[in-house]
Amino acid sequence: MTGSKVALAAAMGIFLALGGWQSRTFMAWSEETMVYPSIATPVVAAPSNEGDTFRLEPSCTGASEPLIGFSDGRPRMFACAFDRKWPVMIAPYLGGFVYWPLALLAPLHQGNVFRLRWAGLLVGAASILLTFAVVRRLRGPRLAALAALTMAVTPGFVVVHSTLVLFETLPWLLLMVAVLLLLRSPGLFEGPSNPRAETRALVLATFLVGLACITNLKTVLFVVPMIAVAHRLGVRPRPLRLGERLGALVAFGLPCLVLLPVLLAPAGGYADKASSAPRALLRNLLDPARIVPYTRDLLLFWSDIAEFLARPIGASPPTRLATGL
């Protein structure tokens, strides 16, 4: 076994040890419980106007349960089946359907959030493995080993993969699979050699990027730097044929179609950054002067990047150093 593979094995062991301990000791919180396909229960809706009485939302209970329902809170859009509420969109920028496979294993975990957290640990381990493969292909085994070890001991990586927040962790996994698909089709960069296979790889890769974006719109904050890094490394695609461009465009947009019903659904009595900001954007699509500021606000609100960058101001030197790293 080569040194880089030993480092990869060590990284996986360290991550699973740290993450396993963290998953057993960290409290369960609302972001984990609201997104899981739960047993259907009546939900009290927020009053639309001051003085209104409380009412029950349409839910997945009773004879009149909807096939697709919308909530004032979260999940914003859900499906009803088998006496469960299946989250489709947790919010207009967070997909919930990524949790559906976990409900099929309910007899094993019985809805216990601490048992469900193994899914986050598996995603973390797979992310380390795939990132190792990408870096090794682009920059060699030494940097790949360093990347794997760094991920395994980074507190942010360990903590977020120790909880059931797949909408935060799956996008990176999907992006790494997409990158590997592209890198293993050299004809996309050096010149066409097997057009049909290269088109399939391109379409599947862009579909995965679209799926990552609909799982969490914050994915765009990964995609843009990744394009800059690819340019720095000299990884540039060859000119794409019209059919390849159209196929990639359709593949990227297909997963994002699920967002349209959420944005067009009537507003309820509950408003937050997940619903008010996109509605403002839709209302002003025909006003070019307002598109840019509203789009900027969406990214700032949904990514929380302004908050993350503001925290180190006035903080201790170790905190500023950790933020820089």
Side-chain angles (χ1 to χ4, degrees):
M1 183 180 289
T2 63
S4 64
K5 291 184 178 179
V6 170
L8 173 62
M12 300 282 272
I14 292 170
F15 165 73
L16 290 174
L18 292 174
W21 173 79
Q22 185 74 63
S23 70
R24 296 189 301 271
T25 56
F26 192 72
M27 66 177 186
W29 56 308
S30 61
E31 292 283 355
E32 296 180 280
T33 57
M34 74 171 65
V35 298
Y36 174 71
S38 57
I39 301 297
T41 54
V43 176
V44 176
S48 300
N49 301 297
E50 187 176 351
D52 287 355
T53 58
F54 285 96
R55 56 184 174 81
L56 292 180
E57 286 188 343
S59 64
C60 298
T61 58
S64 59
E65 66 178 33
L67 178 62
I68 297 292
F70 294 88
S71 171
D72 281 352
R74 298 184 179 183
R76 176 70 175 122
M77 180 168 69
F78 56 88
C80 296
F82 308 109
D83 297 322
R84 285 182 180 270
K85 177 188 286 187
W86 302 78
V88 179
M89 294 298 293
I90 299 165
Y93 66 109
L94 298 175
F97 46 83
V98 295
Y99 290 88
W100 290 11
L102 297 179
L104 303 178
L105 302 175
L108 297 177
H109 54 69
Q110 299 177 338
N112 185 318
V113 70
F114 293 98
R115 294 178 184 174
L116 280 163
R117 284 176 172 175
W118 61 262
L121 294 174
L122 290 179
V123 170
S127 294
I128 292 175
L129 179 62
L130 289 168
T131 305
F132 174 88
V134 169
V135 178
R136 182 177 60 178
R137 195 172 187 92
L138 290 174
R139 299 295 285 175
R142 288 187 178 181
L143 282 180
L146 180 61
L149 289 168
T150 302
M151 294 172 75
V153 298
T154 300
F157 184 86
V158 174
V159 171
V160 77
H161 285 89
S162 302
T163 56
L164 192 66
V165 285
L166 299 184
F167 56 82
E168 299 281 17
T169 58
L170 267 178
W172 181 259
L173 181 67
L174 294 171
L175 289 179
M176 289 299 98
V177 176
V179 170
L180 280 176
L181 280 171
L182 295 176
L183 291 178
R184 290 180 178 178
S185 299
L188 288 170
F189 306 95
E190 301 166 1
S193 56
N194 188 343
R196 185 170 296 181
E198 291 153 15
T199 300
R200 283 199 301 266
L202 177 65
V203 168
L204 181 55
T206 50
F207 174 80
L208 290 173
V209 175
L211 187 60
C213 287
I214 198 61
T215 301
N216 194 328
L217 193 68
K218 299 175 188 177
T219 301
V220 298
L221 298 176
F222 290 150
V223 172
V224 173
M226 286 172 66
I227 292 174
V229 170
H231 188 272
R232 173 69 178 81
L233 295 175
V235 181
R236 296 179 179 82
R238 60 167 170 77
L240 299 178
R241 298 185 297 271
L242 178 60
E244 291 174 325
R245 292 175 182 271
L246 292 177
L249 183 63
V250 171
F252 176 82
L254 195 60
C256 300
L257 289 177
V258 72
L259 182 60
L260 291 179
V262 183
L263 296 179
L264 298 176
Y270 176 83
D272 67 355
K273 65 180 182 181
S275 56
S276 56
R279 290 180 186 282
L281 179 62
L282 285 176
R283 284 196 303 268
N284 293 279
L285 278 180
L286 299 181
D287 185 352
R290 305 191 67 139
I291 290 178
V292 172
Y294 272 115
T295 304
R296 177 202 62 209
D297 290 345
L298 279 177
L299 292 177
L300 290 175
F301 283 144
W302 290 354
S303 67
D304 290 328
I305 192 170
E307 179 183 357
F308 293 147
L309 292 180
R311 285 183 181 183
I313 298 176
S316 63
T319 302
R320 290 197 293 270
L321 176 61
T323 303
L325 290 174

